[in-house]
Amino acid sequence: MAGFQIMSLVWSVLLFSVYLAECVPEKPKRSTLNQLTRTLLRKYDCGVRPVHNWTSSTTVYIDLILQSVLDVDGKTQTITTSIWYRQIWKDEFLVWDPEDFDGITELSLSSDAIWVPDIIVAEFVKEGKSPLIPYVYVNSSGSVKNYRPIQAVLACSLEMYAFPFDTQNCSLTFRSWLHSVKEINLALWRSAEDIANDKREFMNDGEWELLSIPSQYWQIHQDDADYAQIQFNVLIRRRPLLYMVGLLIPSIFLMLVDVVSFYLPLNSGTRIAFKISILLGYTVFRVNLTDELPATAIRTPLIGVFFVVCMAMLMLSLIKSILVVKLLHHSEKEVKQMSLSACLLDKYGSAGHSLTESALTSIKTFDINTPGDYELESSLEEDLLSLNDIPDPPSGLEWLLQELISLRIAFSQEDSESSAQAEWLSLCLRLDRLMFRLYLLVLVVYTSTLLLLWARWSST
């Protein structure tokens, strides 16, 4: 009986053990992953280059994908870009057999826990707002993949002379900060042709159009060592349609309106008022669009030269119109009084007459007060007194002769004034035609240059 109870107790224990074994879940895969991570990083030193033979170099493969061009600043000579940057290298200390770890072939590790190459961009000015990705992928063969997006502000030599038909070439040069080519070498992950023609990720609906991204590899000698470099040249082209519609075409319209004003009468003040209105409108238009133009201190953009020429032409046209009105009304009394020579003669002539009278009065006073001490020459006094002598009235025959002579002089003056006015009118017409032809020449040259730049932009 006691043996039967013992046997029953043993069977109960066995059944309970089987039940517990069935209820306990299977060992999760995460434990294997944790074990693999601890195994790889147990004796890992992130400050040592991951090679077993220190004389062998570590090859870092670089790839670049341009996403967008965010800003091009001609004043600071910088360009802001958004890129996908990829680094691939082999870490000989991060190798394992997948069969020993439940077939795990790839895992993610913290970038702070392993060795990362010191690759920099030589044109790098400052880093923009980029998402922080603190992990890298490592596969069982030791290949490490570091993928991350970068918003970078790069120094670039911008050429704004052909704005808005300009094409910019900005470079991104990747190199190691400290390690020579004997320690870290660089290579392209994809072929140069694939990188140059890869535009699938670029946002091509903005102001800038991506042409290509040519790349090249070379080594530079510095401080008795060779350093590997890979340079990507980002070739972008501006789309000029916005500036054509907003800047250039309105300027041409204002110039054409000013050309039409030449058909107004020459002697009309309406032409001057019309040209002043056009000049003020063009000035307001130019001030409002100042922020749209590139700011550069090296070379003045061609569009800036055009705006200066347009402003100069408007001012010359206004000055010419004022001069024409002045010449046409030159013989009128009011115009003569407003001339500079008339003002000077009136001022200094009246001053000379008053000076003569005051001198004569002073001399008389001086002669009365000091009769015994000084003697005044009689000839000088007679000359001064002769200025105030009143001539005797002429006889009847002499008066008639003088009237006939004055009448003849008046008729000859009228003929000379009419002929002079005709000559002035002819001169004004010549000036007006000359200014009109100059206007047309400037417009033709500018339009031809604009069409030439547009054709050149379309062909590239």
Side-chain angles (χ1 to χ4, degrees):
M1 188 67 180
F4 177 76
Q5 291 179 352
I6 294 174
M7 290 295 295
S8 299
L9 182 61
V10 171
W11 277 107
S12 300
V13 172
L14 289 176
L15 290 175
F16 184 73
S17 300
V18 171
Y19 175 77
L20 290 178
E22 292 178 355
C23 293
V24 174
E26 186 180 357
K27 190 176 182 180
K29 299 292 183 180
R30 185 174 56 183
S31 61
T32 306
L33 184 61
N34 291 337
Q35 182 181 1
L36 174 60
T37 304
R38 290 195 300 268
T39 302
L40 293 176
L41 300 180
R42 182 177 297 116
K43 297 181 180 180
Y44 192 91
D45 188 355
C46 60
V48 179
R49 191 165 58 91
V51 291
H52 295 291
N53 185 5
W54 66 272
T55 58
S56 62
S57 62
T58 301
T59 302
V60 179
Y61 296 92
I62 293 177
D63 193 13
L64 180 71
I65 299 176
L66 182 64
Q67 286 187 313
S68 63
V69 176
L70 303 178
D71 183 40
V72 176
D73 193 344
K75 186 175 182 180
T76 59
Q77 295 288 293
T78 57
I79 177 174
T80 305
T81 59
S82 177
I83 60 177
W84 271 99
Y85 171 54
R86 299 193 288 186
Q87 289 180 346
I88 299 97
W89 70 92
K90 185 174 182 180
D91 194 322
E92 298 180 4
F93 298 157
L94 299 178
V95 180
W96 72 91
D97 188 1
E99 296 181 357
D100 297 337
F101 298 94
D102 295 339
I104 298 177
T105 59
E106 192 175 41
L107 79 160
S108 62
L109 296 176
S110 174
S111 58
D112 296 332
I114 65 173
W115 179 87
V116 177
D118 58 338
I119 305 299
I120 63 167
V121 180
E123 296 84 2
F124 192 81
V125 176
K126 66 178 181 179
E127 188 174 0
K129 297 180 180 179
S130 303
L132 181 61
I133 301 179
Y135 297 102
V136 296
Y137 268 102
V138 183
N139 61 18
S140 59
S141 62
S143 178
V144 183
K145 300 176 183 178
N146 184 12
Y147 297 173
R148 54 176 178 158
I150 299 177
Q151 181 178 330
V153 181
L154 307 172
C156 181
S157 179
L158 301 174
E159 181 57 50
M160 295 291 186
Y161 180 73
F163 176 88
F165 303 96
D166 53 328
T167 301
Q168 306 298 336
N169 183 2
C170 299
S171 60
L172 289 87
T173 305
F174 293 88
R175 55 162 294 180
S176 175
W177 179 250
L178 293 176
H179 299 83
S180 65
V181 71
K182 295 181 180 180
E183 297 174 330
I184 294 180
N185 196 7
L186 302 180
L188 293 173
W189 179 249
R190 295 181 295 168
S191 64
E193 184 178 358
D194 292 340
I195 296 175
N197 300 324
D198 188 6
K199 303 178 184 178
R200 64 183 186 274
E201 298 293 337
F202 185 75
M203 299 174 61
N204 207 22
D205 55 351
E207 180 182 357
W208 294 93
E209 177 186 1
L210 178 62
L211 299 179
S212 64
I213 308 179
S215 56
Q216 56 180 340
Y217 168 86
W218 78 91
Q219 296 180 3
I220 61 171
H221 186 77
Q222 184 179 0
D223 297 333
D224 298 331
D226 294 329
Y227 294 88
Q229 288 189 350
I230 290 182
Q231 185 179 76
F232 298 92
N233 295 315
V234 179
L235 300 179
I236 54 177
R237 179 177 63 178
R238 194 193 304 267
R239 289 188 173 94
L241 183 60
L242 175 63
Y243 300 96
M244 288 282 294
V245 176
L247 291 177
L248 302 179
I249 295 179
S251 298
I252 295 178
F253 285 163
L254 288 175
M255 297 293 289
L256 289 175
V257 171
D258 195 39
V259 169
V260 175
S261 67
F262 281 91
Y263 290 97
L264 294 175
L266 290 176
N267 58 351
S268 175
T270 308
R271 175 187 279 199
I272 297 178
F274 186 76
K275 288 183 177 293
I276 290 176
S277 301
I278 295 176
L279 183 59
L280 291 177
Y282 191 84
T283 304
V284 173
F285 166 78
R286 178 69 178 83
V287 170
N288 291 337
L289 295 177
T290 302
D291 296 335
E292 300 293 335
L293 299 179
T296 176
I298 300 176
R299 296 178 65 185
T300 303
L302 191 60
I303 190 174
V305 176
F306 166 72
F307 283 143
V308 172
V309 172
C310 289
M311 184 71 71
M313 294 297 296
L314 292 173
M315 293 183 63
L316 287 177
S317 176
L318 178 59
I319 294 172
K320 188 269 307 175
S321 299
I322 296 174
L323 180 61
V324 165
V325 174
K326 167 69 176 177
L327 294 178
L328 288 176
H329 300 277
H330 182 72
S331 60
E332 297 181 3
K333 182 179 179 181
E334 292 81 0
V335 179
K336 287 183 178 181
Q337 291 177 355
M338 289 188 297
S339 63
L340 180 62
S341 58
C343 294
L344 292 176
L345 288 176
D346 181 68
K347 178 180 179 181
Y348 292 105
S350 60
H353 181 67
S354 61
L355 178 63
T356 304
E357 292 181 352
S358 61
L360 180 60
T361 305
S362 300
I363 291 173
K364 288 182 178 180
T365 306
F366 182 77
D367 183 56
I368 293 173
N369 294 333
T370 58
D373 297 333
Y374 298 94
E375 294 182 356
L376 184 65
E377 294 183 0
S378 60
S379 60
L380 178 59
E381 185 177 359
E382 292 176 357
D383 292 337
L384 293 174
L385 292 174
S386 64
L387 294 175
N388 293 330
D389 290 343
I390 301 176
D392 297 332
S395 61
L397 184 61
E398 291 179 353
W399 178 82
L400 180 60
L401 182 60
Q402 290 179 359
E403 289 296 328
L404 291 175
I405 292 174
S406 61
L407 186 61
R408 180 180 178 183
I409 292 173
F411 281 126
S412 62
Q413 287 179 353
E414 289 181 0
D415 294 337
S416 62
E417 287 179 359
S418 61
S419 61
Q421 187 174 4
E423 292 178 357
W424 285 120
L425 181 60
S426 176
L427 178 60
C428 293
L429 290 174
R430 291 178 183 176
L431 287 176
D432 198 65
R433 286 195 296 267
L434 178 62
M435 194 67 189
F436 181 74
R437 292 173 182 175
L438 183 60
Y439 244 96
L440 290 181
L441 178 62
V442 170
L443 285 177
V444 169
V445 170
Y446 171 69
T447 307
S448 302
T449 305
L450 192 62
L451 293 176
L452 181 62
L453 291 174
W454 182 274
R456 182 180 178 184
W457 180 88
S458 301
S459 61
T460 56

